[in-house]
Amino acid sequence: MGTPREVVTASEIAARIAEVGRRISADYAGQDLVLVGILKGAALFLADLLRAVGGRVRFELVNVETQPAAGGDALELTYGTHVHLAGAHALVLKDICHSGVTENYLVTHLAQQQPASIELAAVVDKPTLRRVAVEPKYVILESMPDGRLVGYGMEYEGMWGNLPGIYQLV
């Protein structure tokens, strides 16, 4: 299973979220913004970013699960809240953007609600693992080590999501 080794402190995450929050506030000034958090991994990110963004902002929660199916895995989307995006700018929040499959599926589905725009934000971006062409507009931590990351809401086998920073399992 491994032992967690801290690679990013809670204060470093907080500083980057404050910085990105100011950028998002400026980019969407005077406009309606909806932060759409993908459960469970982005829950802490959503809470912190929501407080760091000024202006007219609200949040929604969605869950995307992978289910085994004949011919490959199928994605299943469930809503934690009644997501209404028509005319608003949507920012989908993900803990780690790696393959891009989940993000692409969700963005495609949410686009049917005709938001003014739809973009991605991630705590961690791992573009070398991409299978689908998606690119987060906002990334909290640009450069992270390879391997399993936990903490700050990101779990492995139901553990370590409560760690305040981001850790690598070694």
Side-chain angles (χ1 to χ4, degrees):
M1 191 179 301
T3 302
R5 178 181 57 84
E6 189 174 50
V7 292
V8 182
T9 67
S11 61
E12 290 170 318
I13 295 169
R16 279 292 297 148
I17 286 183
E19 181 182 324
V20 170
R22 286 189 296 275
R23 200 170 125 217
I24 291 169
S25 296
D27 290 350
Y28 295 99
Q31 302 175 67
D32 291 324
L33 176 63
V34 182
L35 303 180
V36 181
I38 301 176
L39 296 172
K40 297 190 316 195
L44 298 182
F45 178 32
L46 169 64
D48 288 345
L49 189 62
L50 181 65
R51 291 181 293 224
V53 173
R56 296 190 315 245
V57 60
R58 60 187 171 87
F59 73 94
E60 303 291 352
L61 299 167
V62 297
N63 190 35
V64 181
E65 292 184 18
T66 303
Q67 303 292 332
D73 290 341
L75 294 176
E76 181 181 326
L77 175 64
T78 55
Y79 294 96
T81 56
H82 296 288
V83 177
H84 300 288
L85 302 178
H89 296 274
L91 186 56
V92 176
L93 308 183
K94 183 82 164 60
D95 53 359
I96 302 174
C97 185
H98 35 72
S99 73
V101 172
T102 299
E103 297 86 341
N104 184 63
Y105 173 80
L106 185 57
V107 165
T108 300
H109 185 79
L110 294 176
Q112 296 173 16
Q113 292 193 27
Q114 299 179 329
S117 69
I118 190 163
E119 298 286 351
L120 296 171
V123 176
V124 174
D125 188 22
K126 293 199 171 197
T128 58
L129 302 177
R130 210 73 93 234
R131 293 187 350 218
V132 176
V134 296
E135 189 66 35
K137 182 174 182 178
Y138 306 98
V139 177
I140 302 303
L141 303 167
E142 300 281 347
S143 178
M144 295 296 291
D146 291 335
R148 173 68 64 179
L149 299 176
V150 295
Y152 194 65
M154 296 178 278
E155 296 180 336
Y156 178 65
E157 296 181 350
M159 296 175 58
W160 296 307
N162 63 318
L163 296 173
I166 295 181
Y167 296 71
Q168 180 183 33
L169 290 183
V170 294

